[in-house]
Amino acid sequence: MKSIRVFCPGTIANVSCGFDVLGLSLAGVGEYMTVTQTPTKGITISEITGQDLPLETAKNVAGVAGLALLEALGSEAGFDIKIEKKIKAGSGIGSSAASSAGAVWAINHLLGNPYTTIELIPFAMEGERLASGVAHADNVAPALLGGFTLVRSTDPLDVVSLPSPRELYATVIHPQIEIKTADSRRILKSSLSLKDAITQWGNVGGLVAGLYREDYELIGRSLQDVVIEPVRSILIPGFDEIKAAALNAGAMGCGISGSGPSVFALSKGADKAHEVAQQLKEVYTPMGIPFDIHISNINEKGVYPA
Ligand code: ADP
């Protein structure tokens, strides 16, 4: 029976100013998934290591996303999925998106690539609908395509791949508390002032231009979020201290990763990203907050055979 093991990248959604539209793919953070063709139609999930998550197809994002793909194809094929979870669910580093993206990429591959990678995004979004109640694409788009992505529109879906400056590194700190994406969406306001909207779209434009121009200073100036961060940061212990420490250590910018509680900082170069990590550890250690910390460059490939 045909089988493939893939790396499914973790992702940072929103990237400060780009709530629900921007995301980036991490090279050094992610999970592994083995997908094997079976004689029985449908999807089974036979093993998940590293996390306690549902094996039931309808309750696991990998199963839901994979079935959405098989249904669209009218396929009689069957697949079994084994997941080696390395990112905790509810971390804000795209744990559910990694599984959704990995499942549709691997199944599509085993079926001889009936869809292009970009065409797989809507199926992976069905996994996100299960995880958070909203079929958002800002994690699954960079998980599948790699690099930075812009979700210009979800209806109709219009996703644009953006360039990733080579020296860009992320430091991601994950305090060990769980925030469900569904909960952190619920606290958001449904309207914003024209003044804040102008600031925010100025920054989104600035960030996109900075990526194209490899202008690290412009990227840094644009990593500001006046809409979501002021509301959501209250859910994250020590957020203001973490942000101040990252900027003092020389990070270009710092914000909430996805819906949190992870916080990311972007730096120019691996050395700076390590210095930032050191400073962030020094904030959480005396506060007695347990954490994981990751340092990673940008993954340009999306999901790939591993
Ligand atoms: P994250 O931003 O880390 O993906 P979410 O809150 O969006 O966190 O998603 C986690 C939710 O999705 C949890 O309720 C979890 O039980 C559910 N879930 C179902 N299948 C998976 C999976 N394969 N990987 C991660 N989470 C999953």
Side-chain angles (χ1 to χ4, degrees):
M1 277 292 169
K2 284 195 285 181
S3 183
I4 189 169
R5 183 173 183 265
V6 292
F7 175 72
C8 319
T11 43
I12 296 174
N14 304 339
V15 202
S16 290
C17 49
F19 178 64
D20 268 6
V21 300
L22 286 174
L24 66 85
S25 188
L26 296 165
V29 183
E31 66 182 43
Y32 293 89
M33 179 180 282
T34 303
V35 180
T36 306
Q37 199 157 8
T38 60
T40 323
K41 182 182 171 187
I43 292 182
T44 54
I45 299 167
S46 60
E47 188 179 279
I48 302 174
T49 56
Q51 277 267 277
D52 188 16
L53 287 167
L55 289 170
E56 242 176 281
T57 307
K59 291 191 177 158
N60 194 298
V61 299
V64 168
L67 280 180
L69 170 61
L70 292 181
E71 272 159 29
L73 285 169
S75 172
E76 296 292 312
F79 296 91
D80 178 65
I81 299 177
K82 290 184 164 63
I83 308 173
E84 301 159 55
K85 214 72 204 165
K86 311 269 180 203
I87 323 173
K88 294 192 178 94
S91 60
I93 329 175
S95 161
S96 50
S99 288
S100 305
V104 295
W105 193 95
I107 292 170
N108 189 54
H109 176 89
L110 293 175
L111 290 174
N113 293 319
Y115 289 107
T116 62
T117 306
I118 204 162
E119 287 170 346
L120 295 174
I121 293 172
F123 307 121
M125 286 166 71
E126 290 306 315
E128 294 294 71
R129 192 194 302 280
L130 173 72
S132 70
V134 181
H136 59 103
D138 52 344
N139 286 106
V140 292
L144 279 164
L145 298 173
F148 268 85
T149 54
L150 169 74
V151 182
R152 195 204 56 82
S153 155
T154 47
D155 189 20
L157 189 65
D158 185 359
V159 175
V160 183
S161 281
L162 305 171
S164 313
R166 262 160 297 138
E167 289 181 82
L168 210 54
Y169 276 76
T171 306
V172 185
I173 189 156
H174 174 208
Q176 305 293 289
I177 58 162
E178 190 177 341
I179 299 181
K180 288 259 159 59
T181 303
D183 294 337
S184 67
R185 291 190 91 92
R186 210 168 294 129
I187 64 165
L188 298 178
K189 295 181 201 148
S190 56
S191 60
L192 74 164
S193 69
L194 184 58
K195 181 172 170 282
D196 284 347
I198 291 167
T199 306
Q200 200 81 354
W201 62 55
N203 283 320
V204 174
L207 180 50
V208 171
L211 294 174
Y212 273 94
R213 287 161 54 163
E214 284 209 38
D215 183 336
Y216 292 89
E217 296 201 346
L218 177 55
I219 294 169
R221 290 200 298 285
S222 307
L223 288 170
Q224 316 266 1
D225 172 11
V226 297
V227 176
I228 306 297
E229 186 179 294
V231 184
R232 274 194 177 161
S233 56
I234 53 169
L235 298 175
I236 301 171
F239 178 79
D240 293 342
E241 292 87 338
I242 285 282
K243 184 166 181 173
L247 298 177
N248 278 338
M252 293 152 45
C254 175
I256 303 169
S257 181
S259 54
S262 290
V263 176
F264 77 95
L266 291 184
S267 302
K268 186 178 179 190
D271 290 350
K272 186 59 78 189
H274 279 93
E275 273 172 51
V276 169
Q278 194 50 41
Q279 294 307 312
L280 300 193
K281 286 180 193 167
E282 286 177 21
V283 174
Y284 271 164
T285 306
M287 288 174 132
I289 299 170
F291 60 85
D292 287 335
I293 198 153
H294 311 280
I295 297 162
S296 174
N297 54 342
I298 310 296
N299 154 29
E300 297 286 359
K301 292 187 284 197
V303 179
Y304 58 85

